[in-house]
Amino acid sequence: MHANTRCMELHSFPSPALKEIDSKYYPVKFNGTLDYPSIYRQDPSPEVDEAWNRLEDVRIMSISEDDVLKAGKTTDAIQIPQKWGGGYMASLEVNHQLHCVNFLRKSLFRDYYQTRSVEFSDHPEMIHTHLLHCVEMLRQFVMCHADVGVITHNWVEDYPRPYPDFNTWHQCRNFENVLQWAKDHEMQGPPFGPSVHHKWTPEPGAKIFDSPP
C-alpha cells in the first residue's frame, strides 16, 4: 500500500471514497487576510449562491451493505428500492459540513435569504436549532482535527497589539477531486434531487425510528 493511501486511511473513518480519490496531500496557504475578497464572503448575489451551491448541492449516492457496516452504521439505514438501483442511501460528510458553513453565512444575510433558502421556511425554533446544530457539528470537526499549524504575529502600523498572520500553510486533500467523486456517484433521475428534503415513503419492512438518531 502506498504511504499516502495508508496515511489517508489512518486519518479517515472507512468510506467508499477512499478507494478512488486522490490520496496525495498538497501544501496550501490559506488566505486569512481580514478583507480578502473571496467570492465565498461577498454580499449575497446569484453569483455567490452559485459558488456556494457547487460545494454543497450534491445528490445522494448509493453504497453497499459492506460499506455501511465499515462506516460504523447498521443496516437499519434506508435502503434504496431495487427499481432505483438498490444499495443504501448515503452522502459525504464534507458536503454536510459545507452546508453548515453556508447556512451560518446565510444567517448573516437573513433578510435576503428569508424567501430564497428552504432552511428559513422552518418554524423559528427549528431554524434556531438547525443553526446551533451546525455550530456544534463544526466545533466537533475542528476539535477532532486539532490543527497544530503555527500562527506567527507581526507589528502593524497604528495597531496597538501584535497582529496574527492568518496566512498559514496546511496539508490539504484535493477537494475538487473529492467533489468530482461525489458528483460521479450521484443517483440520477427521479426521485433523486440535490437533497433529501422532499418526502419519501418507507418501503415495507423498513426500520422506522421513534426519533432522529
Side-chain angles (χ1 to χ4, degrees):
M1 180 182 295
H2 193 281
N4 286 337
T5 302
R6 181 57 179 157
C7 179
M8 185 168 64
E9 290 183 349
L10 286 172
H11 288 84
S12 303
F13 218 72
S15 165
L18 295 177
K19 306 169 188 174
E20 301 175 24
I21 62 173
D22 183 359
S23 64
K24 295 180 181 178
Y25 285 78
Y26 299 86
V28 176
K29 189 175 186 181
F30 286 11
N31 194 320
T33 303
L34 286 182
D35 58 354
Y36 171 54
S38 164
I39 190 170
Y40 300 108
R41 59 175 293 175
Q42 300 302 306
D43 288 345
S45 72
E47 293 74 22
V48 169
D49 285 341
E50 182 180 358
W52 274 101
N53 289 340
R54 190 181 78 87
L55 304 183
E56 67 160 301
D57 282 353
V58 178
R59 296 169 186 258
I60 61 172
M61 64 185 69
S62 170
I63 65 174
S64 69
E65 179 177 320
D66 185 54
D67 285 328
V68 169
L69 296 175
K70 286 180 179 177
K73 300 294 187 175
T74 74
T75 53
D76 289 333
I78 294 178
Q79 287 186 267
I80 298 171
Q82 287 298 325
K83 63 182 177 180
W84 293 329
Y88 288 79
M89 184 184 296
S91 55
L92 294 186
E93 277 274 25
V94 63
N95 301 112
H96 172 240
Q97 291 155 358
L98 285 166
H99 156 76
C100 274
V101 175
N102 194 20
F103 188 30
L104 290 169
R105 177 192 68 88
K106 288 178 179 179
S107 72
L108 297 174
F109 304 100
R110 180 71 174 269
D111 290 345
Y112 180 87
Y113 286 108
Q114 184 65 49
T115 58
R116 291 178 170 88
S117 183
V118 65
E119 293 90 350
F120 292 109
S121 64
D122 285 327
H123 188 277
E125 289 184 5
M126 184 60 205
I127 295 172
H128 185 73
T129 299
H130 190 171
L131 286 167
L132 289 177
H133 154 79
C134 281
V135 170
E136 180 63 6
M137 291 300 294
L138 294 172
R139 177 196 67 80
Q140 292 179 74
F141 174 78
V142 171
M143 292 178 67
C144 174
H145 289 269
D147 191 339
V148 293
V150 174
I151 298 173
T152 57
H153 297 71
N154 301 97
W155 290 116
V156 176
E157 191 73 31
D158 298 325
Y159 192 79
R161 299 180 298 278
Y163 196 96
D165 179 1
F166 295 117
N167 298 289
T168 52
W169 285 96
H170 301 259
Q171 290 287 355
C172 298
R173 283 183 180 163
N174 183 338
F175 172 77
E176 292 297 331
N177 178 259
V178 175
L179 181 62
Q180 188 59 53
W181 185 91
K183 288 288 188 182
D184 290 344
H185 289 77
E186 288 180 326
M187 298 293 288
Q188 299 298 322
F192 304 103
S195 71
V196 292
H197 290 297
H198 55 79
K199 291 184 178 180
W200 287 72
T201 302
E203 292 291 298
K207 171 73 174 182
I208 301 176
F209 291 85
D210 293 333
S211 59

